[in-house]
Amino acid sequence: MRVGLPKEIKNHEYRVGLTPQSVLELTRRGHSVLVQTAAGDAIGFSDADYQAAGAQIAADAAAVFAGSELIVKVKEPQAEERARLTPQHTLFTYLHLAPDRPQTDDLLASGATCIAYETVTDAQGRLPLLAPMSEVAGRMSVQAGAHCLEKAQGGRGVLLGGVPGVAPGKVVILGGGVVGSNALAMAVGLGADVTVLDRSVDALRRLDAHYGNRITTLYSTSAAVEEQVLMADLVIGGVLIPGAAAPKLVSAELVSRMKTGAVIVDVAIDQGGCVATAKATTHAEPTYVVDGVVHYCVANMPGGVARTSTLALNNATLPFVLALADKGTRQALNDDPHLLKGLSVAQGELTCASVAEAHGLTAVSPQQMLARLA
C-alpha cells in the first residue's frame, strides 16, 4: 500500500504520525511511504532518517495526499488538508468530530474513509490509542496549572506544594480515568491537597487503594462539584464520553463564583470541554481570563512535548497502521472489531452514532458500512 505522512500544520503541533522506526516496519513489508519534507525536523527526525528507513521525501502536502492511499496523521485534518481528501483515501488520525461541525461536514463531503484514534477499543473496552496522549495531557495539566497559578500569569500566586508553615494549594480533578489518574500522580507528587471526583465507584476505589489518605475521593454529584470547585486553586477537567461531546460539569455561573486567580485546565476541550466557559486555545496563546479565573484550554496539549508524545503514540498506533497497510482498509476493519469501532466516516456517511447525535445527523452502523466498502 502507498502510505502518506504529511507534516502537521495545527498551531505549534510538532508531532508526526509515523517515526522513522515505524516507517521501517512498513517498508520492510513491501509498502511505499511518502513523507513530506521536514515533517519530523522539529523533534529530531530528519528527512535523512526517513530516507534511511526506506521512505521517499515529498516536497509538499499536496504531493503526499496525491500519492498515497493511507494517510497517517496525529491531529484532526485542518481545512486545507480536508480539501485534499478523496474517496480513494483512508485517513487514520485523531478526529474529535463531536464538537467540530465544519470538520464533520468536510469529511462527509470528501467521501474518504476516516478512522478515529480516539474511538478504537481493546478487548477490555478501553481506548488504547487515546490512552498515551491522555497520560501525557494529564501529567502536563498539573505543570500547566502550576505555572498559570503564578501571579505573573494572572493566577492567585499559590505554590501547589506549599512550604513548611504554609498550606499547599488545592487541586480538584474532575474525572478519575486516564487523564485524571495521571494528573493525580503529578499533583500528589508536588505535595498538593488533591480531591478527585468521579461517578465510577470502582475508579474511586482504585485510586483510594493506591493513594490512601494522601487524597480525597468523592462521588461526583452537582453539589459535590460545586462545593469543591469553589474551594479550588486549580481545577482539572478530565472527563470523557468516547466519541461524544464532554458533559458540562462546571457552569458559567459557578465559574463566576470561583476564587479570583484560580485556574481551570480543561483537558476535555478536544471534545468540547467540561467547563461552560471553556474554548479551545493554542500553544501560542494558551490562556484567557473569565470572571477573574484563568482558563488554559490548549486543544493539543501533548504537542508541547512532541517527541515524547510521538514515540508514545506510535507504540500504540503502529499495529493498526500495519494491519491497514497489509490487509487493506476493508479487510483490516472486517478482521478487527476494535479497529472497526474507530470508523467514523465513510462514503459520505457518518458511522459514529455519538457524533451524529451531537450534530443532529443520521448515522449507519460500522457493520452496515463495512458491507459497502470495496
Side-chain angles (χ1 to χ4, degrees):
M1 181 175 281
R2 302 190 310 278
V3 181
L5 177 66
K7 184 176 182 178
E8 298 291 327
I9 59 174
K10 188 163 183 152
N11 181 273
H12 283 279
E13 183 54 75
Y14 306 110
R15 289 174 289 179
V16 285
L18 295 168
T19 65
Q21 293 87 346
S22 295
V23 168
L24 183 61
E25 292 296 315
L26 285 161
T27 58
R28 281 181 171 173
R29 292 171 181 242
H31 305 294
S32 63
V33 182
L34 194 57
V35 176
Q36 184 177 347
T37 187
D41 275 3
I43 56 173
F45 299 142
S46 68
D47 286 357
D49 292 331
Y50 283 110
Q51 287 175 313
Q56 296 177 287
I57 303 301
D60 52 31
V64 171
F65 279 79
S68 304
E69 302 162 274
L70 172 62
I71 301 292
V72 182
K73 282 180 38 64
V74 178
K75 287 307 292 177
E76 69 278 1
Q78 304 301 291
E80 65 187 80
E81 295 174 306
R82 301 195 296 263
R84 295 191 173 104
L85 290 169
T86 71
Q88 285 69 50
H89 284 125
T90 293
L91 173 67
F92 193 37
T93 189
Y94 288 115
L95 293 176
H96 299 294
L97 292 175
D100 192 343
R101 182 60 184 264
Q103 185 195 175
T104 302
D105 289 341
D106 286 351
L107 294 184
L108 290 170
S110 74
T113 299
C114 305
I115 304 171
Y117 290 163
E118 69 271 14
T119 53
V120 173
T121 59
D122 65 13
Q124 289 74 44
R126 298 171 302 193
L127 305 171
L129 306 192
L130 187 62
M133 296 304 93
S134 294
E135 290 166 349
V136 171
R139 294 178 183 219
M140 289 185 70
S141 69
V142 176
Q143 291 183 189
H147 179 63
C148 291
L149 275 170
E150 295 174 14
K151 196 64 184 174
Q153 308 305 318
R156 299 192 69 224
V158 169
L159 181 66
L160 281 183
V163 293
V166 180
K170 181 173 178 59
V171 178
V172 173
I173 301 172
L174 304 177
V178 178
V179 167
S181 59
N182 279 271
L184 181 59
M186 295 292 284
V188 169
L190 288 174
D193 173 7
V194 189
T195 298
V196 58
L197 297 94
D198 200 290
R199 288 194 170 181
S200 167
V201 176
D202 286 341
L204 297 177
R205 185 175 290 120
R206 169 178 52 81
L207 295 172
D208 184 76
H210 185 77
Y211 291 101
N213 60 9
R214 289 183 292 168
I215 66 170
T216 299
T217 59
L218 291 175
Y219 186 80
S220 182
T221 65
S222 296
V225 169
E226 178 177 359
E227 178 184 46
Q228 294 300 312
V229 165
L230 291 177
M231 293 191 293
D233 297 303
L234 170 60
V235 175
I236 294 172
V239 299
L240 173 72
I241 299 175
K248 302 297 184 191
L249 301 185
V250 180
S251 68
E253 188 275 334
L254 181 53
V255 170
S256 73
R257 293 190 284 129
M258 290 177 65
K259 297 175 181 178
T260 299
V263 174
I264 293 171
V265 178
D266 197 343
V267 184
I269 197 65
D270 268 341
Q271 293 295 112
C274 64
V275 177
T277 49
K279 60 182 180 181
T281 61
T282 67
H283 286 289
E285 296 183 43
T287 64
Y288 60 93
V289 178
V290 176
D291 291 326
V293 177
V294 180
H295 291 57
Y296 180 101
C297 304
V298 174
N300 58 329
M301 284 179 65
V305 288
R307 186 178 176 90
T308 295
S309 296
T310 293
L311 293 168
L313 181 60
N314 268 241
N315 290 342
T317 58
L318 181 59
F320 296 99
V321 173
L322 294 175
L324 287 164
D326 289 346
K327 300 178 179 181
T329 298
R330 186 188 185 284
Q331 193 62 46
L333 292 169
N334 185 69
D335 290 351
D336 188 346
H338 303 299
L339 181 60
L340 185 59
K341 288 277 191 180
L343 185 63
S344 295
V345 176
Q347 295 188 350
E349 293 194 67
L350 282 172
T351 57
C352 181
S354 55
V355 172
E357 181 179 356
H359 296 309
L361 300 172
T362 58
V364 300
S365 73
Q367 292 77 15
Q368 288 175 304
M369 181 54 68
L370 186 57
R372 300 184 200 174
L373 292 176

